[in-house]
Amino acid sequence: MSDTAPTCGYIHAHEDTIRAVNERMPDEDTLCDLAELYKVFGDTTRIKILYALFESEMCVCDIASIINMTQSAVSHQLRILKANRLVRYRREGKTVFYALADDHVKSILGQGLEHIVE
Amino acid sequence: MSDTAPTCGYIHAHEDTIRAVNERMPDEDTLCDLAELYKVFGDTTRIKILYALFESEMCVCDIASIINMTQSAVSHQLRILKANRLVRYRREGKTVFYALADDHVKSILGQGLEHIVE
DNA sequence: ATAATATATGAACAAGTATTCATATATTGA
DNA sequence: TCAATATATGAATACTTGTTCATATATTAT
């Protein structure tokens, strides 16, 4: 974060463009939430977990086995996914089953894929 | 990355579920590219830059002024956006104008917003 | 109650990253 | 060619984050 905005000789953008940008720009809190959400998707382990859950709900141990990571690592990441409401869970005895929270996850990942294959 | 997969007493997922997951799971390279793409969106400064460019193409200095960051910081981030083909640029004399590379950016950010306002 | 097991979590460490500062490059005009 | 200006970039620093290891919690069965 800086507090000094640089000024080049003159502003190229018209005043109404600048006003339009300021109108469209979400407020700081929303921007932070947005960035936070994308950060969650910005990790291979978490993406793998989500892809695994595409197929069906799964317990922590199965997820760990499928994506070849330790139970601890998976559990830590599930906490983050949970906190961002990308997965939900239900307990059944000693086992905790995780599932995708909603279809947003699929469509977000799908759109990302679209961009990189282009 | 770990090399030891944990094993709980028994696997809950059926074999065909596991096979289905492995079929659906993109290969390691694609997963990395995906994560990489989302990492780019996972920063407030870069999101601000993209939102600014929603309105119109803009020179580095105008962007810096609008989002209140130094020219250097903006330039560094533009390099990352450029490398991930989220923005394109054209030079006009001393000035370099940046613009959104395509409409993917808008739809990706839109979908993110949808999730967090829900 | 005790043992066994599935999951969660705190602390530590390593790796990655965003900003700043100083400076380099590129372009224009005099 | 030289000065001015817009942008780019390398190095340093502070901060964030993912994994590991050890351990805690929760649940079940004996």
Side-chain angles (χ1 to χ4, degrees):
Chain A
M1 311 277 170
S2 104
D3 49 343
T4 56
T7 51
C8 65
Y10 54 101
I11 294 285
H12 292 85
H14 294 297
E15 268 191 19
D16 44 338
T17 301
I18 294 178
R19 199 180 55 249
V21 169
N22 286 327
E23 268 171 33
R24 185 190 293 247
M25 185 84 63
D27 58 279
E28 197 68 30
D29 283 356
T30 307
L31 288 169
C32 272
D33 290 350
L34 248 187
E36 188 66 25
L37 175 66
Y38 289 117
K39 268 183 210 157
V40 176
F41 284 97
D43 176 81
T44 332
T45 300
R46 287 190 290 264
I47 292 187
K48 281 182 189 169
I49 293 176
L50 294 174
Y51 264 107
L53 297 180
F54 269 34
E55 211 54 51
S56 77
E57 70 169 9
M58 231 172 263
C59 71
V60 178
C61 164
D62 280 357
I63 297 173
S65 163
I66 284 186
I67 73 174
N68 197 45
M69 294 251 125
T70 65
Q71 175 270 319
S72 180
V74 170
S75 197
H76 275 296
Q77 298 308 336
L78 281 170
R79 193 160 61 87
I80 294 174
L81 292 170
K82 203 193 310 173
N84 284 273
R85 295 174 312 149
L86 297 175
V87 300
R88 53 189 168 74
Y89 66 100
R90 69 184 177 84
R91 176 151 223 144
E92 192 173 290
K94 283 175 288 193
T95 311
V96 178
F97 290 96
Y98 281 85
L100 295 186
D102 57 47
D103 282 341
H104 271 136
V105 178
K106 286 191 187 183
S107 51
I108 290 178
L109 282 174
Q111 203 135 41
L113 254 182
E114 244 183 61
H115 179 83
I116 65 173
V117 299
E118 139 209 314
Chain B
M1 310 272 170
S2 102
D3 51 342
T4 57
T7 52
C8 64
Y10 54 101
I11 293 285
H12 292 87
H14 294 297
E15 267 191 19
D16 44 339
T17 300
I18 293 179
R19 198 179 55 250
V21 169
N22 286 327
E23 267 172 32
R24 187 191 291 249
M25 185 84 63
D27 57 280
E28 197 68 30
D29 283 355
T30 307
L31 288 170
C32 273
D33 289 349
L34 248 188
E36 188 64 27
L37 175 66
Y38 289 118
K39 267 183 210 157
V40 176
F41 285 96
D43 176 80
T44 332
T45 300
R46 286 191 291 264
I47 292 187
K48 281 182 190 170
I49 293 176
L50 293 173
Y51 263 107
L53 297 180
F54 268 35
E55 210 55 51
S56 78
E57 69 170 8
M58 231 172 263
C59 69
V60 178
C61 165
D62 281 357
I63 297 173
S65 163
I66 283 186
I67 72 173
N68 198 43
M69 295 251 122
T70 64
Q71 174 269 320
S72 179
V74 170
S75 197
H76 276 296
Q77 298 309 334
L78 281 170
R79 193 160 60 88
I80 294 174
L81 292 170
K82 202 192 310 173
N84 285 272
R85 296 174 311 150
L86 297 176
V87 300
R88 55 189 166 73
Y89 66 99
R90 69 184 177 83
R91 176 152 221 144
E92 192 172 292
K94 282 175 288 192
T95 310
V96 177
F97 289 98
Y98 281 85
L100 295 186
D102 57 47
D103 282 341
H104 272 137
V105 178
K106 286 191 187 182
S107 51
I108 290 178
L109 282 175
Q111 203 135 41
L113 253 182
E114 245 183 61
H115 179 83
I116 64 174
V117 299
E118 140 207 315

